[in-house]
Amino acid sequence: MKLHQGILSLLACALASLSLSSPAHSHSSAKTTHVGEKPNIVVIMADDLGIGDVSFYTRDLIKRQPLFETPTLDQLSREGLWFDDAHSTTALCSPTRYGMMTGNSTYRSTAPWGTWSMYKESPVKPTDATLGRIAKAQGYRTGFIGKWHLGGDYKTKDGTKIYRGEKRGYLPTVDLSKIVDGGPEHLGFEYSFMLPDGIQGPNYMAFENSTWYPLSPESKVILIDEKSAIDPKIVSSKGPGMGDSAWDTQKMGDIISRKAVDFINQQRSDKPFLLYYTSPMPHVPHIPPATFDGVKVKGTTPTAHLDMVVELDLQIARIVKALKDKGIYDNTLLVITSDNGGLLFSQNTGHRTSGEYRGSKNLAYEGGHRVPFIVNWPEMISQSAIVKEPIMAHDIVATIAAVTGYKVQEHQAMDSMSLLPLIRGENDFPRREFMMQQGGTGMNVVLRKDQWKLMIKTNRNLNKWEPVGLYNLEANHSENEKNNLLHNKEYEKHAEKMMSQYLEIRSSGVRTTPML
């Protein structure tokens, strides 16, 4: 579809690399790193962590008393940058992981609603600039540890074909000894310790460097169901499936974070590294460990769900300690975010996983995709700040390209904006004029432009489009998505224009961010 003049104007504003827009924060002049010394990079993505799950946000930003503490996340927020208008690619896990890996909005994917089976073909193309490929091309040692949820290729046991069948239940024909394509190794990560489905199943296995990693000397690949599992609660609503007979959900956070520490400790001082750590916490099932590094976890908060947030904080503390013990923390770019908004399991305790915002995981309301986004880099960030610029979490791809000096091609990271000017405290950030967002199973998509948010209902086949909500996000945060202005005559034309803009941007396939 040919873009009309309104869309051309909109995109011209968004792609202007010399925008006069100033960042909505200041943290003094940037520090400079030593000449030729590239920073190490650690990207941490939590699973279902809402902004209200971080006690810094609850206490410092909305002035409420938190029900529990996240001391590591709080300290990192106070010492670095907290992005107050940050959004996950979508309000659900798998499609966001595609965005975080490639810098593309999910509508560009072959699986726009997500790759929910570990046996589905990976949506990531060989030509995509992934986090791993970017860093590896620039001389970094690259590692991936944690939840994958991006599909992959596993052969049948007779070796004749790639299995693409049922993901649940007993699957005796699948060769689960190795992932042959579509895994971390194939997307640029030289080392990987991968949980195909995180901790929720229906697969309950770990793979190291593409090969099955037995969790004990006696491990066997069996059907994990409520009868065979170490704890029946291990089998979540995702159902039974193939797994390691020694799988114990409450131990997985300890296992993967130790792998992250091992990866950090093994790195040479003359070669920078990138670690992408995707914790499966605090996703279900909520089976917290009794303790973690000597700190009591289980039973320390009102719910098992929030105990899992405490465990996540301790995992991050372990990684931060490893960086400091190795003497490399100051020149490490550390980014922490979440794949989508938080969970409502603890709302009857008074806990608000989405803070002031409406909604939660899976919804197109702000609480579904407004996420924590914390950046630390002591050698570069001279003063902490609350950053008000609207960003997308998949901006991390272009940011890492800019930090490492990678030249993004026209077809790569097409919706990712480098945040490096904001991290440096510079005044030439080319502010986004719009954001393309997506909800979850309700099949809602969103166009955000300035303070305006248009919510559009579609279907899985993407052949029906109907505007269902128009909201002014400048209003009171706790009320702004309760006041639907879609049928207000004063705003009818504005809603129609935004609807047209969304459809034309999407159908055109045009790049939405500037080239680096």
Side-chain angles (χ1 to χ4, degrees), residues 124-425:
V124 181
K125 301 175 184 176
T127 53
D128 286 332
T130 68
L131 295 177
R133 290 169 182 163
I134 288 170
K136 185 179 179 181
Q138 297 307 104
Y140 278 64
R141 170 75 171 163
T142 55
F144 174 89
I145 297 172
K147 179 177 178 177
W148 188 239
H149 232 170
L150 281 171
D153 293 356
Y154 301 80
K155 286 188 175 182
T156 54
K157 283 185 177 178
D158 61 13
T160 60
K161 60 182 178 180
I162 302 298
Y163 178 79
R164 297 285 187 224
E166 175 59 50
K167 64 181 179 179
R168 297 181 179 87
Y170 183 54
L171 306 174
T173 65
V174 187
D175 180 359
L176 289 169
S177 66
K178 186 178 180 63
I179 177 171
V180 298
D181 203 353
E185 176 185 349
H186 313 102
L187 272 61
F189 296 97
E190 297 163 292
Y191 171 79
S192 64
F193 190 85
M194 181 262 286
L195 311 179
D197 290 335
I199 57 173
Q200 78 264 29
N203 181 272
Y204 305 89
M205 298 175 68
F207 290 79
E208 187 170 42
N209 294 329
S210 299
T211 300
W212 172 44
Y213 178 90
L215 295 172
S216 83
E218 295 78 31
S219 284
K220 298 179 181 179
V221 178
I222 64 171
L223 171 66
I224 300 292
D225 58 17
E226 291 185 355
K227 292 181 179 180
S228 63
I230 290 174
D231 181 343
K233 291 185 292 185
I234 284 173
V235 182
S236 75
S237 61
K238 307 301 179 183
M242 303 302 289
D244 190 311
S245 58
W247 180 277
D248 189 349
T249 299
Q250 66 178 340
K251 294 181 179 179
M252 297 314 298
D254 176 66
I255 291 172
I256 62 173
S257 56
R258 287 188 186 278
K259 290 291 184 180
V261 170
D262 290 345
F263 177 81
I264 292 168
N265 288 338
Q266 291 165 6
Q267 303 312 306
R268 304 197 315 257
S269 59
D270 62 342
K271 186 180 180 73
F273 68 86
L274 175 142
L275 171 62
Y276 185 23
Y277 180 81
T278 58
S279 173
M281 286 67 181
H283 198 288
V284 295
H286 295 143
I287 312 175
T291 63
F292 193 102
D293 284 345
V295 178
K296 185 178 179 182
V297 176
K298 186 176 182 178
T300 59
T301 76
T303 66
H305 161 224
L306 300 181
D307 287 350
M308 299 289 277
V309 178
V310 171
E311 186 199 349
L312 169 69
D313 193 74
L314 291 166
Q315 290 177 29
I316 296 171
R318 183 181 278 183
I319 292 170
V320 170
K321 182 178 185 298
L323 295 170
K324 290 182 176 180
D325 288 349
K326 197 173 177 65
I328 58 176
Y329 176 75
D330 285 353
N331 193 30
T332 295
L333 169 60
L334 173 62
V335 180
I336 302 170
T337 189
S338 178
D339 62 345
N340 44 246
L343 303 167
L344 296 179
F345 286 98
S346 305
Q347 62 180 339
N348 61 357
T349 68
H351 177 68
R352 293 185 57 82
T353 188
S354 303
E356 297 180 295
Y357 298 96
R358 181 180 180 182
S360 58
K361 173 185 178 176
N362 194 36
L363 299 177
Y365 295 113
E366 291 295 287
H369 50 79
R370 191 178 284 246
V371 292
F373 197 94
I374 305 163
V375 177
N376 283 78
W377 186 358
E379 283 196 5
M380 181 62 69
I381 299 171
S382 58
Q383 184 176 333
S384 63
I386 308 299
V387 184
K388 297 294 186 180
E389 288 288 342
I391 68 163
M392 299 294 290
H394 56 252
D395 287 341
I396 190 62
V397 178
T399 303
I400 289 176
V403 167
T404 62
Y406 180 88
K407 179 65 176 176
V408 172
Q409 302 300 306
E410 177 65 34
H411 64 277
Q412 295 176 329
M414 295 182 73
D415 307 295
S416 187
M417 180 88 75
S418 172
L419 304 179
L420 189 55
L422 292 176
I423 295 171
R424 287 175 169 168

Side-chain angles (χ1 to χ4, degrees), residues 81-150:
L81 305 179
W82 172 280
F83 285 75
D84 201 41
D85 196 356
H87 301 263
S88 53
T89 307
T90 75
L92 274 182
C93 164
S94 176
T96 287
R97 291 170 196 275
Y98 166 81
M100 283 289 290
M101 187 64 72
T102 65
N104 292 331
S105 290
T106 314
Y107 67 83
R108 301 186 192 278
S109 166
T110 55
W113 300 112
T115 307
W116 296 106
S117 170
M118 66 179 280
Y119 307 114
K120 291 286 187 182
E121 183 179 3
S122 171
V124 181
K125 301 175 184 176
T127 53
D128 286 332
T130 68
L131 295 177
R133 290 169 182 163
I134 288 170
K136 185 179 179 181
Q138 297 307 104
Y140 278 64
R141 170 75 171 163
T142 55
F144 174 89
I145 297 172
K147 179 177 178 177
W148 188 239
H149 232 170
L150 281 171

